[in-house]
Amino acid sequence: MRRYFLLLLCFLTVNIAQATDDPALCTAPGLTAATTTDPPNNSPTPKDTTAFNTNWANLLGWVPLSTNLCGGYFYEPAYITAVPSPPPIKSAETTIKSTGLTSFSLTGPSTLEGVTVTQHGREMTADKAILYRDAKTGKINIIDLIGNVHFREAGKLVVGNFSRIDVTNNTLTIINGGYHTSRPSPTVPTEAWGLGSSMFREANGNMQLENATYTTCSPTDPSWHIESKHLTLNKITGRGVARDAWFYIGNQRLLYTPYASFPIDRRRYSGFLFPSVGYNSDSGFIVNIPYYFNLAPNFDDTFTLTGMTLRGTQLTNNFRYLTQNSEGSLLLSFLPYDSEFAQFKAGAEDEFPHAFPRYLSELSNDSTSRGALGFTDKTTFSDKWSGSLDLNYVTDDYYFRDLGNTPEAINNDQLLNEAQIGYQDTHWQFSAMAQAYQTLHLIDQNFVADQYQRLPQLDLNASYPLLPHNLDFEYNSEWTYFDHAVDFVSGKPFPTGNRIHVNPQLKLPITRSWGFFTPALGLDATGYDVANNGVVSSSGILISEDEQPDLNKLRVLPIFDIDSGLYFDRSFHLFQHPYQQTLEPRVLYLYVPYTNQNSIPDFDTSLPTFTTDQLFVTNRFVGYDRVGDANQVAVGLTTRILDDYTGVEKANATLGEIYYFKQPQVCLTPDCSQDPEFGKNVSPVAGTLTYNLTPHVSATASAAYDPAGSGMQNEGLQVNYRPAPQHILVAGYDYVQNGDRLNGVPPDSSENNLQRLNLGIAWPITEKWSAVGNWNYNISHQHPETYFYGLQYDTCCWAVRVVANRALVQEDANGSTDYRTNIYVQFMLKGMGSVGNSAGGDLIKSALPGFIDYFRG
């Protein structure tokens, strides 16, 4: 019989454990907390500061430790932490032990002393357990646990003086209790704890708490906590409601709210999100108040009210959707009247007297009511067909400069609008695209040229490897209609019309373990049907209105190349550690006959900076409007050092050069002024080196030196040190010859050379203080282009960060600079969320790759 009743107790203990196994209990702020209003003599209250800091710390297993930020930690036995996900209570094997006296009765109460109930990864203890029976049925219907009640799982501990389980109604009540929970996050774990005068668990799992408290601070130094007269945690809706609640700093009341609603699990909900605050030198102090609408499991909407002291009130709405085949968003933003922009318009003619008349005309016509639209969609129609849409529009050219929220679709003041549909199977790929840009012309910044519109562009490509005789066949083709508005400054028309490009290629790859040999023969055929040819180039330079007003031309060129390489390796030891070194020489012979292409317009072609990436390409131009003539051999040597144990690449170095049997004659412009390779017998010597000194330290260097006389064409160095996510040092330098074109300066002038220096840091100063900063300095112009610096202060349960940023807006002909200043402030209660402007964190992450922003954790 004793065994029978012990098993009954085990079953009832299961119900107790289920009450504390509620997911909301494990994750929600203040779930089991309550301020004790009438506690027993041995139960401290939050008002008793000494008891609050010592007695509850001991009851909850707090272990002092001077080496961590909180000054200690909550101890958990190894047999608990070893099981982070205990099995369901009803199905787990249960052991019950009683170390004291046991009084058993079939008709009255039964008593067990020194009770311990254990399961795999779970434990409940109490000084005494009293089992009561129903007078009519004789079955146990009430269990009281008295004295030192403890329930423990991994990351959970609930303690109390008294607990009652109503077996009939499946409810649980705990009186004068305390708790702590550990809530892991993607960044840092949060230890939360609190007190309670009573906690009542309903049969459906919902919790009702009286006089609840919650904090994530150390129990020996509670910097802040929340007290609520009544707290409801609804497991079914995933919502918590606190009534008559106060926020405390230390023991001082700071904020009161009669009602507060918050999530207790990861389900989304409608309601106000944390506001953000900041400062901008052009907009003044900024406050963002967002409201989130949880419309459906796959639809949501965020409406944000933004107040700016210098500009007015901006309204922004962002709708998002996700279906089985599609995902996308619609962003609408509107500022009814921008007083600062109105002042800028009124004074523009006096402030910029030498500006192009078109600039002033466009600005004067801009409305002071400003807005933006952005729509994106990605849809999968089938396993082979897919499509995308990216539409963007702003009411004036200065919108993003003044109001921020710059989308990914903008690059160098070009706002993308694009629609695309594509097909792909094993061998064939097809895509159709329409693309246009809204070019933003800012009167106080450098000129930006309008871009060609592709209305439309059709691509058809194919790949057939492993044909008979080991041949590979590739086919690429494109038809595009290029359209363009008249030149923004001169009003002259641009060349517009059709371009058809076809490029079939046949390869014979011969591959062995020691090397490869691949001859290839291709045909580049490009046809043009162009109007207004020779009027204005794509860079906006007037050529001639009489020179070839129209163009109907077919350019056909054969391309022959032989790509070959060898592979050698050896093993060696360095400081008794085994490594493997490879030696990989490569030779590419390329032949393309010369044809004069000066009459062909430049729709989308460019000449990239010469690096090792350009050594082994079959066209030194990017784009189809120019095919470089070639009778040349490219020679390169690559060596790698690999760790023999791990296979990780320790170092990688490449050095190469191109020897021209015939000097290149094809240029991007008729005068060849922008082509450093024109008329030379050898290319620059290009090299790259990547060295991973340790898993945390790496360096990359690159350079291209022209032995024909122009010296160093480009060089760069990047050093990274990242021993931890918040310990980052970066340093970079780059130089590009003729990389900073200035109006009226000859192309070969040293004033066109671009030199920049970049330094970045994220590093702790002390245990609580850390610093971040980034400095991007233009050596050529002798001024910084952008820089920011900030400080962060961390405690166990709260943190604050301030970041100041300055970005170059313009530089006039005299070298005078104008900067925009932004200040971002964030305050975080760990475990509750952050208040402030997240743009500061975004700024740090963009400048310091690898930085983890704990304010988003």
Side-chain angles (χ1 to χ4, degrees), residues 617-641:
V617 297
T618 57
N619 187 7
R620 60 195 185 94
F621 297 98
V622 177
Y624 298 142
D625 295 319
R626 296 292 184 275
V627 177
D629 59 315
N631 185 6
Q632 64 189 47
V633 171
V635 180
L637 181 65
T638 297
T639 182
R640 312 172 200 268
I641 297 178

Side-chain angles (χ1 to χ4, degrees), residues 604-845:
D604 61 359
T605 301
S606 62
L607 185 65
T609 301
F610 192 87
T611 65
T612 53
D613 294 334
Q614 277 70 56
L615 288 173
F616 302 103
V617 297
T618 57
N619 187 7
R620 60 195 185 94
F621 297 98
V622 177
Y624 298 142
D625 295 319
R626 296 292 184 275
V627 177
D629 59 315
N631 185 6
Q632 64 189 47
V633 171
V635 180
L637 181 65
T638 297
T639 182
R640 312 172 200 268
I641 297 178
L642 309 174
D643 190 307
D644 235 8
Y645 287 152
T646 64
V648 174
E649 189 174 85
K650 190 76 173 176
N652 183 322
T654 298
L655 186 68
E657 188 176 23
I658 301 176
Y659 298 90
Y660 304 117
F661 299 126
K662 184 180 179 182
Q663 295 176 350
Q665 295 177 268
V666 176
C667 298
L668 197 60
T669 57
D671 61 1
C672 296
S673 61
Q674 300 179 22
D675 192 340
E677 303 310 301
F678 174 75
K680 294 185 177 179
N681 296 316
V682 295
S683 76
V685 178
T688 59
L689 170 64
T690 299
Y691 183 57
N692 300 307
L693 181 63
T694 72
H696 309 304
V697 182
S698 64
T700 300
S702 64
Y705 177 78
D706 184 9
S710 61
M712 192 68 69
Q713 281 202 350
N714 61 81
E715 57 185 327
L717 175 64
Q718 183 75 28
V719 180
N720 299 287
Y721 176 51
R722 295 185 179 91
Q726 304 306 104
H727 297 66
I728 299 175
L729 289 174
V730 297
Y733 167 80
D734 62 270
Y735 164 85
V736 180
Q737 191 177 77
N738 296 327
D740 187 17
R741 294 296 174 89
L742 300 174
N743 293 330
V745 178
D748 58 350
S749 171
S750 62
E751 295 183 48
N752 286 328
N753 298 336
L754 177 64
Q755 295 186 78
R756 290 180 300 189
L757 180 66
N758 183 73
L759 300 173
I761 183 173
W763 206 265
I765 302 172
T766 66
E767 183 182 30
K768 295 185 177 181
W769 287 95
S770 59
V772 294
N774 183 258
W775 186 59
N776 193 308
Y777 187 80
N778 189 320
I779 300 174
S780 303
H781 291 233
Q782 298 182 346
H783 62 70
E785 292 186 346
T786 179
Y787 59 96
F788 69 81
Y789 46 88
L791 285 175
Q792 180 171 319
Y793 181 79
D794 272 286
T795 70
C796 178
C797 55
W798 62 273
V800 63
R801 178 169 65 198
V802 180
V803 177
N805 166 241
R806 299 198 76 201
L808 180 68
V809 175
Q810 67 166 332
E811 178 184 6
D812 62 23
N814 298 321
S816 299
T817 57
D818 181 25
Y819 289 87
R820 180 182 298 106
T821 301
N822 295 279
I823 298 177
Y824 310 106
V825 181
Q826 284 180 281
F827 181 78
M828 176 173 64
L829 296 179
K830 297 181 179 180
M832 294 291 288
S834 63
V835 178
N837 196 315
S838 62
D842 296 337
L843 185 68
I844 299 170
K845 291 173 66 176

Side-chain angles (χ1 to χ4, degrees), residues 11-13 15-16 18-19 130 132 134 139-145 162-174 199-203:
F11 172 76
L12 295 172
T13 306
N15 289 305
I16 299 171
Q18 282 179 321
I130 302 176
Y132 298 93
D134 184 275
K139 295 182 179 181
I140 297 174
N141 63 346
I142 297 292
I143 297 178
D144 285 345
L145 300 175
F162 175 82
S163 176
R164 168 162 288 186
I165 304 105
D166 187 330
V167 179
T168 303
N169 298 311
N170 194 26
T171 61
L172 168 70
T173 303
I174 295 178
M199 177 182 70
F200 179 72
R201 179 187 184 274
E202 300 172 351

